[in-house]
Amino acid sequence: MITDVPGVLVGQYQRLGDGWATGTTVVLTPEGAVAGVDQRGGAPGTRETDVLEPSRLVQEIHGVCLTGGSAYGLAAADGVMRWLAERNHGVSVGELPHEVVPVVPSAVLFDLKLSDWGNRPDASFGYAACEAASDGPVEQGCVGAGTGARCGSLKGGIGTASMVVDGLTVGAIAAVNAMGEAVNPDGLPWALDHEIDGEFGVSPPGAPSVELRPKRSALNTTIGVVAVDAVLSKAECQRIAAVAHDGLARAIRPAHAMYDGDTIFALATGRQELTGVRGMALDRVCEAGAQVFARAIVHGILAATTVAGVPAYRDAWPEALGGK
């Protein structure tokens, strides 16, 4: 999971039922992390991404807010900022400990159709997600920003994965809400070949047990974070975020459509130096980032449950997961 990366916390909050199907996921680095971002979809909804440009003044951020609610959901980041500020985490702008400005880049996905109109994340969602943050196991599926997500004809969700390369831990978390499909016509995940040690637990599924129809709404977006415990520059983080989109494209087809707002952040918590030839070492971390992001997408699909009539993979092909 992304919380395998030292220095990374994850918290989630959602409302599901009674006209609600939306939520917020926060990836916190209270002590600061160098960060980058790469945005590929044609319809992004973001906040505080310009600050991540390598030429900008601020060198570290304190968290990333991933949330439902389309552009309205950007308000959730206000709650994340308030939670961090109450604990004196942020860029110092004065002489006293509490005189800080937390830097919290954010991205949203479109899930408004699964809730009653007007039911969307606000600052309270971001604050509650922070209250739940820990470095422990991350719940996957229809939680946090994945609560109202869908992926093509199936229910989307939150997924996470990690791996070790050159002694560095690389982790990812993805809120899967794409126009494209994450499984092929035979019901197998496109990124099944990225599986490690049978983690997906998917067997050939046969025909779907429910009728699947292509997604009609063309308002989507897959968003997420890749993190590594390396000492990196902002430009190097930006490179990791860019290559992580390769993983998105391996797992979702088509990807980066005009009606998607696909956005990936990369964080470096600065615990270990790269070893060997720097460019080659960075390439290995970049490829690991692509792999864990693809795996996170698969986990998000497999862990999801049916919501508001949008069928989950586990209900469409129950035999593929052994009836789990």
Side-chain angles (χ1 to χ4, degrees):
M1 297 183 171
I2 192 173
T3 50
D4 293 334
V5 179
V8 172
L9 312 177
V10 170
Q12 304 190 92
Y13 178 77
Q14 65 280 328
R15 293 189 63 179
L16 181 59
D18 297 325
W20 289 84
T22 190
T24 299
T25 298
V26 296
V27 179
L28 297 179
T29 53
E31 303 306 322
V34 178
V37 66
D38 191 274
Q39 195 284 315
R40 298 286 177 94
T46 57
R47 166 173 162 166
E48 290 271 55
T49 52
D50 283 354
V51 74
L52 301 181
E53 286 290 328
S55 63
R56 302 297 191 256
L57 173 65
V58 172
Q59 293 300 304
E60 293 188 337
I61 68 169
H62 307 92
V64 173
C65 180
L66 308 173
T67 183
S70 190
Y72 295 108
L74 289 171
D78 292 340
V80 182
M81 288 187 68
R82 180 163 66 88
W83 189 91
L84 288 164
E86 288 174 355
R87 290 154 182 81
N88 300 335
H89 296 302
V91 176
S92 177
V93 294
E95 297 179 358
L96 300 177
H98 69 275
E99 295 178 332
V100 297
V101 178
V103 182
V104 184
S106 308
V108 300
L109 55 80
F110 186 93
D111 60 359
L112 298 179
K113 293 296 186 179
L114 266 66
S115 297
D116 290 346
W117 190 257
N119 289 350
R120 54 233 182 191
D122 57 17
S124 68
F125 277 63
Y127 193 93
C130 291
E131 287 282 271
S134 78
D135 60 0
V138 178
E139 187 176 359
Q140 301 181 83
C142 299
V143 294
T147 303
R150 63 181 297 171
C151 184
S153 55
L154 296 172
K155 184 70 183 68
I158 285 283
T160 184
S162 69
M163 65 185 295
V164 176
V165 58
D166 294 344
L168 299 168
T169 303
V170 183
I173 190 166
V176 188
N177 186 63
M179 186 187 76
E181 299 282 356
V183 300
N184 68 23
D186 295 324
L188 292 173
W190 287 116
L192 185 61
D193 60 343
H194 285 51
E195 184 177 39
I196 295 178
D197 295 332
E199 65 183 305
F200 299 148
V202 175
S203 57
S209 60
V210 299
E211 182 181 4
L212 299 177
R213 297 182 178 181
K215 183 178 179 181
R216 299 303 178 189
S217 171
L219 297 166
N220 316 290
T221 298
T222 295
I223 52 180
V225 177
V226 173
V228 60
D229 57 342
V231 178
L232 299 175
S233 68
K234 291 173 73 176
E236 289 169 332
C237 286
Q238 191 176 60
R239 181 67 178 171
I240 292 172
V243 178
H245 278 280
D246 293 352
L248 190 158
R250 296 170 196 169
I252 297 172
R253 305 180 189 183
H256 307 137
M258 284 301 295
Y259 293 94
D260 287 319
D262 301 334
T263 302
I264 301 177
F265 300 91
L267 307 177
T269 60
R271 304 301 176 92
Q272 301 186 69
E273 294 284 352
L274 295 182
T275 58
V277 179
R278 192 168 188 85
M280 293 180 178
L282 181 63
D283 275 346
R284 290 190 291 272
V285 172
C286 287
E287 173 55 24
Q291 291 184 32
V292 294
F293 203 83
R295 290 167 52 213
I297 288 171
V298 177
H299 282 300
I301 295 296
L302 299 184
T305 53
T306 297
V307 171
V310 182
Y313 181 90
R314 62 181 55 248
D315 294 324
W317 287 285
E319 68 277 15
L321 296 174
K324 293 188 289 184

